[in-house]
């Protein structure tokens, strides 16, 4: 079982890869890309502030993005 400190960065990297996939489909993927980028900004801020409850919420949100 991973800790949040291990799982969140891995999830952030996975979503960053997904952004590339969604961008490759053109304008149809723009809405999803905007949502993913917002979640990634939220994750970065939560990590920088060491806000554990916020990190958990954004981790769950990131897990919802699929290809």
């Amino acid at each position: 079982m991973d800790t949040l400190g291990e799982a969140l960065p891995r999830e952030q990297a996975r979503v960053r890869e997904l952004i590339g996939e969604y961008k490759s489909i053109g304008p149809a993927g723009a809405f999803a890309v905007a949502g993913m980028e917002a979640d990634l900004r939220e994750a970065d801020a939560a990590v920088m502030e060491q806000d554990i409850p916020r990190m958990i919420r954004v981790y769950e949100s990131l897990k919802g993005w699929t290809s």
Side-chain angles (χ1 to χ4, degrees), residues 1-55:
M1 177 168 264
D2 293 334
T3 66
L4 182 61
E6 296 165 338
L8 180 56
R10 189 172 24 255
E11 198 62 23
Q12 287 174 280
R14 184 188 70 81
V15 171
R16 284 188 174 96
E17 288 180 20
L18 275 179
I19 287 175
E21 292 178 29
Y22 276 82
K23 283 184 176 181
S24 73
I25 63 173
F31 184 76
V33 167
M36 287 185 252
E37 288 174 340
D39 278 354
L40 288 170
R41 284 190 301 275
E42 180 72 12
D44 290 341
V47 168
M48 289 174 29
E49 295 170 15
Q50 298 180 352
D51 185 336
I52 302 298
R54 190 173 169 195
M55 290 168 65

